Amino acid sequence: MNNEYTVNANSTAPTTHPNIPIRPPFVLYAGLFAGWAIGYVLDAAPLCPLAVPTRLLLGTFPLLLGIFIMSSALSAFKRIGTNVRTDFPVNGFTTAAIYRFTRNPMYLSFCIIGFGIALYINQWWAVAGIAPFFLYTQFFVIPREERFMSEKFGENYSAYCKTTRRWI
């Protein structure tokens, strides 16, 4: 692609957004909470047998990494003036910043942050709670978004998909 950003393309898409019925972060929050609750009820073995300060230090790394990736993605969206929420109109897409390496840095960052939270609360079941989010985004959300983006941005988006991985 020649342009760093593609904005306000002539759209053949039937709608202004990909029609995702449940916003992905809510699926992650529900999964983490359900995982924590199951682990609590079952009195499950801890995720990390290390002392609390060490475990919190280990959990801080994925949290900070996830926050960095998310911040980079949000900043790139803000620069081109497009919306983050899946139920708001899409004005463009970017191939800059973190989007050079992954087409879905926000979803990737949610998974990484979820792992950091699981370390903080010390629950294997919380790690398992990330799975519904991953499966929902991988098999439902992302395919819908990709179809929508292909219709809206045509060859520019298709070329981007050929050169950039979906996750990492």
Side-chain angles (χ1 to χ4, degrees):
M1 261 206 263
N2 295 335
N3 297 333
E4 187 174 18
Y5 305 110
T6 301
V7 181
N8 297 325
N10 294 328
S11 177
T12 59
T15 62
T16 61
H17 56 81
N19 292 319
I20 306 300
I22 302 171
R23 292 185 53 217
F26 296 136
V27 176
L28 178 65
Y29 305 149
L32 287 171
F33 179 77
W36 169 81
I38 291 168
Y40 181 80
V41 168
L42 296 178
D43 195 25
L47 170 63
C48 182
L50 300 173
V52 171
T54 306
R55 189 182 75 244
L56 294 179
L57 185 63
L58 287 174
T60 299
F61 176 73
L63 278 174
L64 291 177
L65 177 61
I67 290 168
F68 172 78
I69 293 169
M70 179 66 75
S71 296
S72 176
L74 292 172
S75 175
F77 267 34
K78 186 175 182 178
R79 269 195 308 272
I80 66 166
T82 197
N83 294 302
V84 173
R85 288 181 48 163
T86 57
D87 56 343
F88 282 18
V90 175
N91 304 335
F93 75 98
T94 180
T95 61
I98 194 74
Y99 287 91
R100 290 177 299 170
F101 309 106
T102 173
R103 295 193 314 261
N104 296 286
M106 291 183 210
Y107 300 144
L108 175 63
S109 70
F110 278 127
C111 289
I112 295 169
I113 290 168
F115 182 71
I117 291 170
L119 278 171
Y120 270 17
I121 63 176
N122 206 21
Q123 287 271 349
W124 276 109
W125 283 101
V127 174
I130 300 168
F133 170 79
F134 175 80
L135 294 171
Y136 178 64
T137 55
Q138 174 69 15
F139 297 108
F140 183 76
V141 175
I142 294 172
R144 262 188 172 192
E145 289 178 341
E146 288 177 345
R147 275 191 306 276
F148 171 80
M149 296 294 282
S150 290
E151 290 174 11
K152 185 164 180 92
F153 298 104
E155 186 53 40
N156 284 338
Y157 187 74
S158 296
Y160 172 61
C161 289
K162 289 176 186 170
T163 61
T164 308
R165 293 175 184 242
R166 180 181 270 183
W167 288 90
I168 51 172

